């Protein structure tokens, strides 16, 4: 009995409290991505030929500074900071304030276009046509749609609403991120175009989610 009493009196170590699960900012399944964009152009079609004609033109006319800029943007983990000076209109202080929410936006949005990459399995342009010579790092993922272009457009959509006085500079930078994937020779124009359509759809879904709007409005009140 003494042993039982002593054992009962010993408090069992409490289990660590699990970290709270972040609330989701939007429902990925609510976006019918397969019906939002048409898919890669049919091989041999006029649009297919136009894609490669555009890339060949850019390959002939691109400058070293354009390739250097495109090379800086290869790491998609740094996508949000691509909007800071000198390339973009945000300050380092602004980025630090916005980073927690915006990084979550990118993490939650990425599956929308990543699933389509696997679904369509479009090869990179330099694999299909050896005359295409990228001036930036080659990638081993599929091409359609462009993740960089989608991310750049999505962040620009949100930032333009957050900083309306800088909307033009923000949107120009978002477009430039997609354009640089063409300059670099790692995406087709249709990859970039349709990625932007997806990004706009993701932003519409975000704006309908109370979790996102609550955090967005809080940022708007305290933005630097």
């Amino acid at each position: 009995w003494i042993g039982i009493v002593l054992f009962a009196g010993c408090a069992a170590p409490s289990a660590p409290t699990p970290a709270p699960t972040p609330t989701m900012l939007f429902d990925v399944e609510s976006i019918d991505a397969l019906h939002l964009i048409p898919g890669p152009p049919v091989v041999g079609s006029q649009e297919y030929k136009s894609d490669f004609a555009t890339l060949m033109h850019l390959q002939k006319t691109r400058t070293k500074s354009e390739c250097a800029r495109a090379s800086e943007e290869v790491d998609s983990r740094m996508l949000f900071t691509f909007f800071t000076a000198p390339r973009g209109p945000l300050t380092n202080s602004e980025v630090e304030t916005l980073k927690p929410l915006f990084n979550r936006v990118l993490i939650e949005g990425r599956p929308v276009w990543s699933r389509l990459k696997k679904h369509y399995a479009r090869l990179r342009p330099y694999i299909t046509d050896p005359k295409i010579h990228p001036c930036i790092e080659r990638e081993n993922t599929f091409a359609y749609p462009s993740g960089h272009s989608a991310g750049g457009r999505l962040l620009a959509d949100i930032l333009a609403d957050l900083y309306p006085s800088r909307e033009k500079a923000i949107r120009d930078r978002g477009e430039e991120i997609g354009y640089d994937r063409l300059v670099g020779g790692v995406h087709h124009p249709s990859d970039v175009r349709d990625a932007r359509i997806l990004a706009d759809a993701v932003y519409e879904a975000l704006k309908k989610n109370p979790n996102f709007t609550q955090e967005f409005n809080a940022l708007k009140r305290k933005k630097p």
Side-chain angles (χ1 to χ4, degrees), residues 13-195:
S14 58
T17 304
T21 302
T23 53
M24 297 300 288
L25 300 176
F26 79 105
D27 180 10
V28 173
E29 304 303 329
S30 69
I31 298 176
D32 189 5
L34 278 173
H35 292 92
L36 272 174
I37 57 177
V42 175
V43 175
S45 66
Q46 188 57 46
E47 185 181 5
Y48 178 90
K49 294 175 183 177
S50 177
D51 267 358
F52 284 94
T54 297
L55 290 178
M56 288 302 298
H57 172 72
L58 289 173
Q59 183 168 290
K60 291 176 183 177
T61 58
R62 66 194 178 196
T63 65
K64 289 183 178 179
S65 62
E66 285 178 322
C67 285
R69 185 183 67 214
S71 184
E72 290 173 5
E73 297 162 356
V74 167
D75 188 351
S76 61
R77 294 172 301 174
M78 301 296 291
L79 186 58
F80 183 40
T81 60
F82 294 160
F83 282 84
T84 56
R87 301 292 188 198
L90 299 182
T91 66
N92 289 333
S93 174
E94 287 168 336
V95 164
E96 287 304 310
T97 299
L98 305 176
K99 189 184 294 183
L101 175 61
F102 278 63
N103 281 343
R104 284 172 57 206
V105 165
L106 288 175
I107 289 170
E108 292 190 30
R110 194 167 291 125
V112 174
W113 43 89
S114 294
R115 291 177 183 179
L116 292 183
K117 281 181 180 283
K118 294 177 182 178
H119 176 81
Y120 289 112
R122 187 184 197 184
L123 298 177
R124 296 280 175 168
Y126 47 83
I127 296 176
T128 302
D129 186 346
K131 294 192 296 295
I132 302 296
H133 302 293
C135 66
I136 64 177
E137 181 182 332
R138 296 180 180 225
E139 311 216 4
N140 57 10
T141 55
F142 293 119
Y144 181 93
S146 165
H148 277 74
S149 304
R153 176 61 164 257
L154 177 57
L155 293 178
D157 282 343
I158 304 171
L159 289 168
D161 280 350
L162 196 60
Y163 298 101
S165 64
R166 282 179 270 176
E167 179 174 4
K168 185 180 186 309
I170 288 167
R171 292 201 176 278
D172 286 350
R173 180 60 179 138
E175 296 294 292
E176 187 174 64
I177 289 170
Y179 173 74
D180 286 347
R181 305 301 282 168
L182 307 180
V183 168
V186 296
H187 273 292
H188 314 81
S190 52
D191 300 339
V192 173
R193 179 200 65 205
D194 294 350

Side-chain angles (χ1 to χ4, degrees), residues 186-218:
V186 296
H187 273 292
H188 314 81
S190 52
D191 300 339
V192 173
R193 179 200 65 205
D194 294 350
R196 290 168 176 162
I197 295 172
L198 285 178
D200 290 345
V202 170
Y203 188 40
E204 289 304 311
L206 283 167
K207 289 191 291 185
K208 294 175 183 176
N209 187 297
N211 297 327
F212 173 78
T213 55
Q214 180 179 359
E215 296 193 40
F216 176 84
N217 289 334

